[in-house]
Amino acid sequence: MGIIKIIQGDITKIKVDAIVNAANTTLLGGGGVDGAIHKAAGPKLLAECRTLHGCPTGEAKITKGYLLPAKHVIHTPGPIWHGGDHNEAQLLYNSYLNSLKRAAENECTTVAFPSISTGVYHYPLDQAVKIALTTIRDFMQTDQVVKEVVMVCFDVTTFEAYQRAYQELG
Ligand code: ADP
């Protein structure tokens, strides 16, 4: 059984086996954490992403980390919030689960996540946090590869929401 850590910080600075990118379905870069990861990784990341021909929402694809301290980047497009009756919860669950599966398949023992979909995709923070933490916890209860997951929260509101939910989870 692995451990979950919650920190406030910039995911592009974290030295782990894999960081997860809250990408869009083109995988060709964007704003927010996606833009920050591409900027820090350098142009070779975009070149590798071009060979992947996009990624459906909730799926996940892995690349190298290039100039990042992290060895790999796992790219997953989370769902755009459309009110909650467009399969958003299942798709967000899929994003976390498929990212963790890619990590395990590639022998990544340490993984860092941003708060997927709660930025410009407007997923309600409190709902997203519960899905994130329960999916990660449940995965690590059976998986033998992933030993440590770090939730990297960029802003204090996100950090406090994850801390609160983590304590409530017990
Ligand atoms: P999405 O499109 O999935 O909503 P965003 O990038 O807009 O993705 O936001 C997802 C979360 O990532 C937000 O909480 C945002 O504040 C955060 N974020 C932005 N830049 C970084 C970064 N460098 N490290 C970690 N989290 C970040």
Side-chain angles (χ1 to χ4, degrees):
M1 175 65 189
I3 58 163
I4 301 178
K5 285 186 187 166
I6 296 162
I7 66 166
Q8 192 180 350
D10 177 349
I11 202 165
T12 66
K13 311 272 192 241
I14 311 285
K15 193 174 175 192
V16 282
D17 292 330
I19 63 168
V20 176
N21 180 15
N24 59 49
T25 55
T26 70
L27 299 187
L28 298 179
V33 70
D34 194 5
I37 288 171
H38 275 277
K39 189 166 176 231
K44 286 184 177 169
L45 178 62
L46 183 59
E48 185 176 356
C49 283
R50 284 190 203 286
T51 70
L52 301 175
H53 306 293
C55 183
T57 301
E59 299 296 312
K61 294 187 177 180
I62 191 164
T63 65
K64 289 189 258 185
Y66 298 99
L67 300 178
L68 291 163
K71 281 187 217 144
H72 298 92
V73 182
I74 296 167
H75 307 262
T76 184
I80 300 170
W81 181 257
H82 290 297
D85 55 0
H86 290 76
N87 213 26
E88 291 95 332
Q90 178 72 47
L91 291 167
L92 189 61
Y93 166 81
N94 290 350
S95 274
Y96 280 97
L97 183 65
N98 287 316
S99 297
L100 289 162
K101 284 183 179 169
R102 286 302 88 70
E105 286 162 10
N106 290 277
E107 306 297 331
C108 298
T109 59
T110 53
V111 182
F113 277 93
S115 181
I116 298 168
S117 286
T118 67
V120 295
Y121 283 1
H122 289 299
Y123 205 110
L125 185 59
D126 286 341
Q127 293 178 50
V129 165
K130 286 195 187 111
I131 292 171
L133 292 178
T134 54
T135 308
I136 294 164
R137 181 199 58 187
D138 291 353
F139 181 86
M140 285 203 293
Q141 265 163 9
T142 54
D143 177 73
Q144 304 294 317
V145 177
V146 180
K147 305 276 189 230
E148 184 178 309
V149 171
V150 189
M151 279 300 321
V152 185
C153 306
F154 202 52
D155 56 277
V156 69
T157 308
T158 303
F159 177 61
E160 286 174 355
Y162 275 89
Q163 277 193 315
R164 214 179 309 121
Y166 184 70
Q167 279 152 16
E168 281 166 15
L169 221 61

